[in-house]
């Protein structure tokens, strides 16, 4: 007879004693269990003791997490979180350097646990650490030369403990003094700072800036971009990532009027070229966190264009009108008469003619064309940049189109305005960066005026595509759609430079786009005739059953999941698999990731499928409800799912990747008789259905499939031809 579900068999350690095997009744209060354990070793004052998981995490067992204890777990009897916090609070104030160092090291490790962190914070531990950073370490300054490694470790463990405690979100960031900020900033400003100290100092500054507008102003006064730049020129990618994160945070929280000023300073300090040479073109592969920070910097840089994008042109502003005059002068100055010749009427007539050749919608007053927002004045800025920096190409496009028939000319003015609007949409100008995106483009880090250069390449592409399509003014929107597709396809290849982007576009001519579209249409089997649709509907249940069997087979093979504690650290593994008869889920803890098949006898826990009531995903999962809004938490959120059984019991999962998440949620839903709705199922359905359709229609190749079935023939005059086989 199997043991009751509420009884868990564990081993409990106590220093200097032989481990004790005992059964824990999960229905009993935790204090009663601790008292029983203490009495077994003749220990008094059981309220001063607690139980810990005896592994690298050392997290305390509480009423909230006690259900995580599994059969065969090894626990450790130890001092309670309050007593430990009290002891460490005293030890870190020791006058002995060695004792202080050991205490801070223990504190840095213990602070990962939220139960301990709460107790230490209640003892005003955060204030003690900040005081030590502000003034307590000063007494050791004289010893730095002879005890530099020790001093570095002392500070490193102090800051590590501080970061770990603050990461629980218990204490507000608004409580810190200017003296503390100055001290942290000084560690970043020093050129010879210990790597661990520098890393934690940068992390603290980033959190301060992001979590408090008041602290942003204080940090901005202490840290300059010039002091951060040297940290990008090293080879440590973690330091580089934290440095860019601080720059991004300062950029993001800066008032709008200061962002342009900050961008100007970044340009002066050549931040772009430093990132290009030391990060993007570094031999070290770019990890996900660095890619995210580069993406954020790219978005924030493009967002500087939002002001011009949302500014309408003032037709009465002479300075703005002069830009239009400049566009006309560069294009037609060689063939036009001097401005002061002829009457006013003659000059107006000439200007109207030239503005028509330039492709403006309003020939009399082109300023009206730039009152549409977006793209507003940004379109005019792009046009002027193109005219000045690529003058030959600009003159060629304008003159080439002005010599064509009216209906075949590609209007430069209108095209530039619509193209600028399209590029702003593609690059999401004005939108805040996404917390989960890593989509940065190396080519935008190769030029100080990358958006304008991007426009110059794309306006020439538009003119080329217009000619290839032999377009007329009625085809304007069709041409823009093709150009958008060309740009998007070239961007997905992530070119390393603007020249490489340009060459990719050369290979994506209109003819090539037509071939790609035709190929995709054929692959999608985009037939809309009724017989084909009926065949698809008939085949679909068979394919869905096939996918369901595949999911259940994968569940029978099983998957190794990582256990994640309350601090989202990946600690150890557990394995779960479905029994071959699809009636029971077997699971159990593992010491390390399995390298082959996991034996059945190692999975001692089981959950009957009949007891499962529901599958819950994302933020509705019980192990996700306390997660914050940090980027790492959001990534975990997308991989989380739980199985609800009995009245209020859950089996909580964090999938190793999106593929396994889809396999398990699909498989569990299939077991419960529910629909499989994951993206993976949709993709499999499309692939398998398309393949099956092609196989079944092979014999009908090049045969016209009628839209309607053939007519039913008339009934015969008699049925004499029918006979009974029996």
């Amino acid at each position: 007879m199997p043991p009751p579900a509420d009884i868990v068999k564990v081993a409990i350690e106590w220093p200097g004693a032989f481990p004790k095997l005992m059964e824990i009744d999960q229905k009993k209060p935790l204090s009663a269990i601790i008292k029983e354990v203490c009495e077994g070793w003749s220990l008094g004052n059981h309220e001063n003791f607690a139980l810990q998981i005896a592994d690298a995490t050392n997290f305390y067992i509480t009423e909230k997490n006690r259900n995580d204890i599994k059969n065969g777990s090894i626990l450790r009897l130890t001092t309670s979180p309050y007593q430990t916090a009290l002891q460490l609070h005293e030890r870190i104030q020791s006058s002995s350097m060695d004792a202080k160092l050991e205490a801070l090291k223990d504190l840095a490790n213990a602070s990962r646990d939220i139960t301990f962190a709460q107790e230490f914070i209640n003892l005003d531990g955060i204030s003690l650490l900040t005081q030590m950073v502000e003034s307590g370490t000063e007494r050791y300054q004289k010893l730095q030369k002879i005890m530099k490694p020790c001093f570095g470790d002392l500070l490193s463990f102090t800051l590590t403990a501080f970061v770990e405690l603050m990461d629980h979100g218990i204490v507000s960031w608004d409580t810190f003094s200017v003296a503390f900020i100055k001290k942290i900033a000084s560690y970043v400003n020093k050129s010879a700072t210990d790597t661990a100290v520098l890393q934690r100092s940068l992390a603290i500054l980033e959190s301060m800036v992001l979590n408090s507008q008041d602290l942003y102003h204080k940090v901005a006064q202490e840290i300059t971009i010039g002091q951060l730049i040297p940290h990008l020129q090293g080879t440590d990618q973690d330091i580089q990532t934290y440095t860019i994160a601080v720059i991004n945070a300062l950029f993001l929280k800066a008032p709008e009027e200061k962002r342009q000023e900050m961008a100007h300073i970044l340009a002066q300090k050549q931040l772009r070229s430093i990132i290009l040479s030391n990060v993007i073109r570094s031999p070290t592969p770019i990890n996900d966190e660095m890619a995210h920070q580069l993406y954020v910097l790219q978005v924030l840089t493009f967002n500087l264009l939002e002001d011009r994008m949302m500014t309408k042109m003032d037709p009465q502003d002479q300075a703005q009108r002069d830009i239009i005059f400049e566009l006309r002068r560069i294009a037609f100055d060689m063939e036009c008469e001097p401005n002061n010749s002829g009457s006013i009427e003659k000059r107006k007539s000439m200007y109207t003619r030239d503005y028509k050749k330039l492709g403006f919608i309003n020939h009399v007053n082109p300023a009206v064309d730039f009152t549409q927002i977006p793209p507003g004045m940004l379109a005019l800025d792009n046009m002027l940049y193109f005219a000045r920096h690529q003058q030959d190409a600009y003159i060629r496009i304008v003159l080439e189109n002005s010599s064509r028939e009216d209906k075949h000319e590609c209007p430069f003015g209108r095209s530039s305005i619509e193209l600028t609007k399209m590029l702003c949409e593609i690059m999401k100008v004005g939108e805040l960066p996404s917390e989960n995106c890593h989509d940065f483009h190396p080519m935008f880090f190769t030029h100080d005026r990358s958006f304008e250069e991007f426009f110059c390449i794309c306006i020439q592409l538009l003119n080329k595509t217009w000619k290839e399509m032999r377009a007329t003014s009625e085809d304007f929107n069709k041409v823009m759609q093709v150009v958008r597709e060309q740009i998007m396809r070239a961007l997905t290849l992530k070119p390393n430079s603007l020249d490489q982007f340009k060459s990719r576009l050369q290979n994506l001519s209109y003819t090539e786009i037509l071939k790609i579209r035709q190929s995709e249409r054929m692959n999608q089997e985009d037939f809309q005739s009724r017989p084909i649709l009926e065949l698809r509907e008939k085949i679909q249940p068979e394919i869905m059953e096939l996918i369901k069997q595949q999911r259940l087979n994968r569940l029978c093979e099983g998957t190794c999941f990582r256990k994640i504690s309350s601090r989202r650290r990946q600690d150890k593994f557990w394995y779960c698999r479905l029994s071959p008869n699809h009636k029971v889920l077997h699971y159990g803890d593992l010491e390390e990731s399995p390298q082959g098949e996991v034996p059945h006898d190692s999975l001692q826990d089981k959950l009957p499928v009949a007891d499962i009531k529901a599958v819950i995903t994302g933020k509705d999962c019980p192990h996700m409800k306390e997660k914050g809004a940090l980027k790492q938490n959001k990534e975990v959120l997308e991989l989380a799912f739980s199985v609800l059984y009995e009245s209020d019991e859950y089996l909580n999962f964090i999938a190793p990747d999106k593929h396994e998440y889809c396999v398990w949620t699909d498989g569990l839903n299939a077991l419960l008789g529910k629909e499989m709705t994951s993206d993976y199922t949709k993709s499999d359905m499309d692939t398998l259905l398309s393949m099956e359709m092609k196989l079944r229609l092979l014999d009908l190749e090049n045969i016209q499939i009628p839209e309607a079935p053939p007519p039913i023939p008339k009934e015969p005059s008699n049925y004499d031809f029918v006979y009974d086989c029996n």
Side-chain angles (χ1 to χ4, degrees):
M1 182 177 174
D6 294 320
I7 301 298
V8 182
K9 294 183 178 181
V10 298
I12 300 178
E13 297 176 343
W14 172 250
F18 193 76
K20 181 182 291 187
L21 299 175
M22 69 177 291
E23 293 183 349
I24 290 179
D25 186 350
Q26 292 285 37
K27 289 181 179 177
K28 288 173 78 174
L30 195 58
S31 56
I33 295 168
I34 293 170
K35 183 179 180 182
E36 184 184 337
V37 174
C38 289
E39 287 172 351
W41 273 308
S42 304
L43 299 171
N45 299 325
H46 69 275
E47 64 274 2
N48 291 337
F49 292 91
L51 291 173
Q52 276 181 332
I53 290 288
D55 61 10
T57 62
N58 289 333
F59 73 79
Y60 284 96
I61 304 297
T62 64
E63 292 292 352
K64 284 185 179 179
N65 63 27
R66 63 185 296 177
N67 288 325
D68 291 341
I69 304 173
K70 304 298 180 189
N71 276 320
S73 296
I74 300 175
L75 308 184
R76 182 186 299 121
L77 184 67
T78 185
T79 51
S80 68
Y82 171 74
Q83 289 294 326
T84 307
L86 203 60
Q87 291 167 13
L88 282 173
H89 195 274
E90 292 172 5
R91 285 172 59 203
I92 61 176
Q93 298 178 73
S94 169
S95 56
S96 163
M97 174 73 89
D98 290 337
K100 194 181 194 78
L101 184 64
E102 199 60 37
L104 285 167
K105 185 177 181 180
D106 291 344
L107 178 63
N109 287 326
S111 297
R112 298 173 183 174
D113 183 82
I114 192 169
T115 313
F116 168 84
Q118 185 69 68
E119 296 292 350
F120 189 77
I121 289 167
N122 290 344
L123 294 170
D124 215 14
I126 295 277
S127 297
L128 179 59
L129 291 179
T130 55
Q131 286 166 19
M132 288 172 63
V133 172
E134 288 172 32
S135 58
T137 52
E138 294 292 344
R139 73 183 74 161
Y140 304 112
Q141 294 288 343
K142 295 176 184 177
L143 301 173
Q144 275 198 66
K145 290 184 180 178
I146 55 173
M147 301 184 69
K148 192 167 184 179
C150 186
F151 178 79
D153 288 343
L154 190 79
L155 189 55
S156 170
F157 288 130
T158 305
L159 294 178
T160 302
F162 177 82
V163 170
E164 297 285 1
L165 290 167
M166 290 303 296
D167 204 26
H168 294 293
I170 299 168
V171 178
S172 168
W173 281 94
D174 284 308
T175 56
F176 299 107
S177 66
V178 175
F180 179 71
I181 296 168
K182 284 178 181 288
K183 206 71 187 172
I184 297 296
S186 72
Y187 301 138
V188 173
N189 295 339
K190 285 179 187 172
S191 56
T193 307
D194 180 80
T195 303
V197 172
L198 176 59
Q199 189 179 27
R200 283 150 185 77
S201 298
L202 288 166
I204 291 168
L205 290 178
E206 184 202 5
S207 295
M208 283 179 170
V209 172
L210 290 176
N211 287 288
S212 168
Q213 193 65 34
D214 185 43
L215 285 182
Y216 156 75
H217 293 293
K218 293 174 182 175
V219 172
Q221 289 172 359
E222 300 298 326
I223 290 287
T224 65
I225 301 300
Q227 291 161 337
L228 292 170
I229 294 288
H231 300 313
L232 291 172
Q233 295 171 322
T235 54
D236 189 321
Q237 192 170 114
D238 285 338
I239 296 295
Q240 291 173 328
T241 304
Y242 279 108
T243 303
I244 297 175
V246 172
I247 293 171
N248 285 339
L250 290 168
F251 219 137
L252 193 63
K253 291 295 179 179
E256 285 186 25
E257 64 274 9
K258 283 195 175 181
R259 285 181 192 166
Q260 293 290 350
E261 180 187 332
M262 188 174 171
H264 182 64
I265 294 169
L266 292 176
Q268 280 185 327
K269 298 293 182 184
Q270 297 185 318
L271 175 73
R272 178 198 58 75
S273 58
I274 289 168
I275 289 176
L276 182 66
S277 56
N278 292 282
V279 179
I280 296 174
R281 291 180 178 168
S282 163
T284 309
I286 292 174
N287 59 34
D288 283 350
E289 187 54 39
M290 174 60 89
H292 173 70
Q293 295 300 339
L294 290 173
Y295 153 78
V296 172
L297 183 59
Q298 172 187 293
V299 171
L300 294 175
T301 305
F302 281 144
N303 280 358
L304 294 170
L305 303 168
E306 184 182 12
D307 184 47
R308 294 293 282 173
M309 181 181 80
M310 301 307 289
T311 301
K312 292 182 180 181
M313 186 170 184
D314 180 3
Q316 306 305 318
D317 189 324
Q318 190 57 43
Q320 294 180 358
R321 290 168 65 86
D322 286 345
I323 299 176
I324 297 176
F325 290 145
E326 178 74 357
L327 288 171
R328 182 203 151 277
R329 186 195 65 76
I330 294 171
F332 304 114
D333 194 38
M334 297 301 292
E335 63 178 44
C336 288
E337 301 172 18
N339 288 340
N340 57 3
S341 66
S343 64
I344 294 173
E345 288 76 14
K346 188 176 180 182
R347 284 207 306 273
K348 280 187 177 179
S349 172
M350 182 177 66
Y351 286 174
T352 302
R353 183 196 69 198
D354 290 347
Y355 291 147
K356 185 179 180 183
K357 288 181 180 179
L358 278 168
F360 290 113
I361 298 170
N362 192 315
H363 307 149
V364 178
N365 186 8
V368 176
D369 288 13
F370 299 97
T371 55
Q372 173 196 352
I373 55 170
M377 289 296 291
L378 185 59
L380 190 57
D381 294 343
N382 283 340
M383 292 166 73
L384 184 63
Y385 182 90
F386 180 48
R388 283 179 173 169
H389 291 81
Q390 298 196 25
Q391 194 167 318
D392 291 344
Y394 166 68
I395 293 171
R396 190 188 73 248
I397 287 175
V398 173
L399 296 183
E400 191 178 273
N401 285 294
S402 62
S403 63
R404 290 182 187 160
E405 295 177 49
D406 282 354
K407 66 175 185 177
H408 281 288
E409 67 178 358
C410 177
F412 174 72
R414 184 187 173 192
S415 298
S416 298
I417 291 167
E418 291 300 321
L419 178 64
T420 302
K421 184 179 177 182
M422 180 200 292
L423 297 183
C424 288
E425 289 171 0
I426 290 172
M427 302 319 301
K428 296 181 170 59
V429 175
E431 294 184 22
L432 286 173
S434 165
E435 291 187 9
N436 297 313
C437 190
H438 310 106
D439 188 26
F440 84 97
H441 293 277
M443 73 178 195
F444 291 125
F445 289 85
T446 61
H447 201 284
D448 289 329
R449 304 285 295 274
S450 59
F451 191 81
E452 289 89 338
E453 289 288 324
F454 186 37
F455 169 83
C456 292
I457 293 169
C458 294
I459 193 66
Q460 293 176 76
L461 167 73
L462 194 153
N463 192 60
K464 174 174 170 281
T465 303
W466 185 282
K467 288 189 288 185
E468 289 172 349
M469 292 177 69
R470 295 185 176 86
T472 63
S473 52
E474 288 83 13
D475 300 322
F476 187 87
N477 290 333
K478 290 181 183 176
V479 175
M480 294 305 292
Q481 287 172 7
V482 173
V483 169
R484 187 187 191 102
E485 188 173 344
Q486 289 170 314
I487 293 169
M488 293 300 288
R489 287 185 185 277
L491 284 176
T492 54
L493 299 170
K494 292 287 176 68
N496 291 319
S497 66
L498 289 161
D499 286 338
Q500 201 174 84
F501 173 68
K502 195 172 182 177
S503 65
R504 295 267 163 85
L505 288 175
Q506 293 292 333
N507 297 330
L508 285 168
S509 63
Y510 175 57
T511 310
E512 187 63 27
I513 290 291
L514 287 179
K515 286 180 184 175
I516 293 170
R517 285 179 174 179
Q518 180 66 22
S519 172
E520 287 178 351
R521 269 198 296 271
M522 290 181 69
N523 288 336
Q524 290 169 358
E525 285 294 344
D526 193 16
F527 300 127
Q528 296 302 316
S529 62
R530 199 169 64 188
I532 298 292
L533 294 175
E534 287 176 359
L535 179 60
R536 286 175 71 91
E537 286 178 18
K538 186 178 178 182
I539 295 172
Q540 210 157 333
E542 300 173 23
I543 302 295
M544 188 57 80
E545 184 61 30
L546 185 65
I547 294 171
K548 176 183 172 182
Q549 289 306 317
Q550 188 272 340
R551 298 291 189 269
L552 295 175
N553 289 341
R554 276 288 293 106
L555 263 60
C556 291
E557 290 174 20
T559 300
C560 177
F561 298 94
R562 284 186 183 273
K563 279 196 166 186
I564 296 187
S565 71
S566 60
R567 291 212 62 261
R568 69 181 184 278
R569 293 185 184 277
Q570 297 179 340
D571 300 315
K572 64 179 186 179
F573 304 90
W574 67 290
Y575 201 87
C576 187
R577 71 154 63 97
L578 180 66
S579 63
N581 63 4
H582 300 173
K583 291 188 176 180
V584 180
L585 283 176
H586 295 275
Y587 60 96
D589 291 343
L590 301 175
E591 289 303 318
E592 57 184 20
S593 182
Q595 298 302 313
E597 189 175 342
V598 176
H600 282 272
D601 55 4
S602 66
L603 306 178
Q604 297 181 355
D605 297 303
K606 60 183 180 179
L607 170 62
V609 171
D611 291 350
I612 298 176
K613 295 188 175 179
V615 177
I616 303 161
T617 59
K619 62 182 179 182
D620 295 327
C621 298
H623 59 314
M624 291 291 114
K625 285 182 179 175
E626 294 179 2
K627 296 288 182 187
L630 292 175
K631 172 179 170 288
Q632 297 95 324
N633 287 333
K634 293 209 169 185
E635 289 175 352
V636 170
L637 204 63
E638 293 177 353
L639 301 175
F641 61 99
S642 300
V643 172
L644 171 64
Y645 61 98
E646 292 184 5
S647 57
D648 195 17
E649 297 292 325
Y650 293 90
L651 191 59
N652 298 321
F653 298 78
I654 301 284
D657 51 50
K658 192 69 178 174
H659 180 271
E660 288 295 322
Y661 170 84
C662 293
V663 164
W664 274 85
T665 51
D666 282 343
L668 291 169
N669 279 321
L671 285 172
L672 299 179
K674 295 182 179 177
E675 194 176 345
M676 299 185 293
T677 56
S678 76
D679 296 338
Y680 188 39
T681 292
K682 291 172 188 171
S683 172
D684 281 355
M685 174 60 77
D686 290 343
T687 304
L688 294 171
L689 194 56
S690 171
M691 187 62 67
E692 185 66 21
M693 290 291 290
K694 286 178 182 176
L695 289 171
R696 296 203 183 193
L697 295 173
L698 273 177
D699 294 339
L700 298 176
E701 196 169 355
N702 299 323
I703 295 175
Q704 183 82 23
I705 298 175
E707 285 294 325
I712 298 172
K714 292 179 181 179
E715 282 195 40
S717 56
N718 61 65
Y719 289 89
D720 293 345
F721 56 87
V722 177
Y723 61 93
D724 189 353
C725 294
N726 297 323

